[in-house]
Amino acid sequence: MTLDNLLAQQAGVISRAQALAAGTSGTTIDHRVKARRWQPLYPGVYLAADRRPDPADGRDDEVRVRAALLWAGEDALLCGRAAAWWHGMAAEPPPVAGVTVGRRRRLRRRPGVEVTRRELVAQDCCVPHGLAVTAPPLTVLDAAVELGDDGAAFLDDALRRSVPFAAVHAAHARYPGSAAAPRLLRGAAERSAHEARRALHALLRGAGVGG
């Protein structure tokens, strides 16, 4: 893929490794950085000045999450609230983008990025719109845990709209590390059962069934 195609597809963000693979020399990359044609966002990750998005078009958020993911490396996936935003489950991404990498990876802390280490199976990975993110069931669970007190409402909304409870529960079974996740799932199951009973009672009353 050409450099221009990469920049167009990635909101103007590119990694040094990608630029080298596209045929750009290290000397050219360094010259563009020195000339401020490419702005460093993270070590080895740049934003092309001529591709800088207009803040009005809302692509600044895309720049942030793409830069975080490129810095984290080829095996990284966007996760948690940032992944929920990319999937369209949240109106905006969090100020800190969550990325998940393999357990053996060691990354220095960087502003704006939160790193989680775990080994994901294939069914928990997907690439919607060209970005590697956790699949919806794991994303919902991670985001609900990340949201703290607001997590239950987020989980209930996601379960009503698009993600089956069984799939989210199965994702938790594969990665049972969070202490908050079981509480959130139990609460969601109880609320769902309560709503089901209310709906059944309403149907019975509407049909004239007593007792």
Side-chain angles (χ1 to χ4, degrees):
M1 185 177 294
T2 69
L3 187 67
D4 283 344
N5 286 341
L6 279 169
L7 290 170
Q9 291 183 13
Q10 298 180 169
V13 182
I14 194 164
S15 71
R16 188 178 186 90
Q18 286 179 323
L20 291 171
T24 306
S25 70
T27 301
T28 298
I29 294 171
D30 294 339
H31 173 73
R32 289 179 179 179
V33 173
K34 186 175 181 179
R36 299 185 179 181
R37 292 174 59 192
W38 284 10
Q39 173 193 348
L41 300 178
Y42 292 105
V45 180
Y46 316 101
L47 173 63
D50 63 342
R51 307 274 181 155
R52 184 185 300 277
D54 184 334
D57 68 11
R59 298 198 74 189
D60 282 347
D61 292 328
E62 182 179 351
V63 166
R64 288 197 302 109
V65 298
R66 284 191 178 277
L69 198 60
L70 283 173
W71 165 77
E74 289 185 359
D75 69 333
L77 289 88
L78 204 65
C79 64
R81 292 169 62 194
W85 170 73
W86 193 257
H87 279 300
M89 300 173 183
E92 58 186 27
V96 176
V99 298
T100 185
V101 299
R103 291 188 182 279
R104 296 185 179 182
R105 294 286 309 283
R106 292 293 178 265
L107 295 170
R108 294 182 61 184
R109 294 180 64 88
R110 296 290 176 183
V113 187
E114 181 69 30
V115 178
T116 300
R117 294 177 179 83
R118 56 187 168 180
E119 302 297 335
L120 299 182
V121 299
Q123 72 189 92
D124 293 316
C125 309
C126 62
V127 190
H129 311 297
L131 201 69
V133 301
T134 51
L138 182 57
T139 294
V140 166
L141 186 62
D142 286 345
V145 170
E146 189 179 334
L147 282 164
D149 291 343
D150 295 326
F154 172 82
L155 179 57
D156 287 350
D157 185 63
L159 293 174
R160 282 194 300 267
R161 288 175 181 271
S162 57
V163 184
F165 179 86
V168 179
H169 190 275
H172 169 62
R174 290 190 290 273
Y175 315 101
S178 169
R183 173 180 53 80
L184 285 165
L185 289 171
R186 283 195 302 270
E190 291 168 0
R191 289 187 295 274
S192 178
H194 177 69
E195 289 300 320
R197 286 194 297 270
R198 289 183 57 186
L200 176 60
H201 292 164
L203 287 172
L204 291 173
R205 286 195 300 270
V209 178

